[in-house]
Amino acid sequence: MAAPLTDAQVVELRESYAAGARQVDLAARFGISQTAVSAIVSGRTRAAAGGPVKESAPRARRARSSAPGPDPAGASSRRTRLTPARVDAIRARVAAGEPRAAVAEAEGVSIHTVHSIMSGRRSGSAGSGSLTDAQVTELRAAAEAGAGQAELAVRFGISQQAVSAILRGLSHRDGQY
């Protein structure tokens, strides 16, 4: 184990780093780890020893958003909610023949999100409570004729879970799915 650095060595290390020396080279020169060099030059350790301390810039995060393109403000890394209108737009683009990967990239969502939308696991503007009694009757008839739940979800613009609940006899009006 290397002996602790003196205050003079810490100042020398910080000055060398400020002059452009690489942390890995300083670690070899002073016989300490690169992690220890990083802690010293940033002031996380040995702050009172003196010497120039590296300004800590906010750590850059990859912006993730469901909106296309980069976040102009760069303020938030949280995703914005995928609106029913965007779900409908994605569904329309894929239905028009555009490749799912291209739609995902253009809309700023993952290809898995596009697959979820197209399989009916994500609904668009027609929410589960917006089906009329006639549509519910039509949905049940189509299911009895052999249509799958995912297909029915896409056809009626509701989630597959809502289709399942309706087919199990739960009310499509009270939202008790």
Side-chain angles (χ1 to χ4, degrees):
M1 181 171 169
L5 299 179
T6 65
D7 286 350
Q9 288 174 312
V10 169
V11 170
E12 181 183 346
L13 185 145
R14 286 181 176 153
E15 287 173 348
S16 297
Y17 181 76
R22 294 176 3 153
Q23 289 185 10
V24 68
D25 295 334
L26 293 170
R29 180 169 137 201
F30 288 94
I32 58 176
S33 70
Q34 182 274 322
T35 305
V37 171
S38 176
I40 291 170
V41 299
S42 67
R44 289 191 312 270
T45 61
R46 307 290 301 268
V53 176
K54 175 179 107 175
E55 293 286 324
S56 66
R59 184 174 276 189
R61 285 188 147 167
R62 190 177 104 200
R64 293 187 69 176
S65 165
S66 61
D71 180 12
S76 174
S77 65
R78 294 195 70 194
R79 295 181 200 181
T80 59
R81 191 161 197 85
L82 194 57
T83 64
R86 289 198 53 225
V87 170
D88 290 342
I90 290 169
R91 188 173 284 132
R93 289 176 76 169
V94 172
E98 195 171 341
R100 290 181 180 194
V103 172
E105 186 173 337
E107 292 288 335
V109 297
S110 73
I111 188 136
H112 305 291
T113 299
V114 174
H115 292 320
S116 291
I117 290 168
M118 296 311 294
S119 69
R121 291 188 302 269
R122 290 204 180 200
S123 61
S125 58
S128 57
S130 66
L131 294 182
T132 64
D133 290 335
Q135 288 174 314
V136 170
T137 303
E138 182 184 345
L139 183 144
R140 288 183 174 143
E144 285 183 23
Q149 289 184 6
E151 175 191 340
L152 292 171
V154 171
R155 187 187 313 174
F156 289 94
I158 59 175
S159 70
Q160 181 272 322
Q161 292 83 357
V163 171
S164 176
I166 290 169
L167 294 177
R168 287 188 319 232
L170 300 174
S171 171
H172 69 286
R173 295 260 182 233
D174 4 307
Q176 297 178 5
Y177 295 129

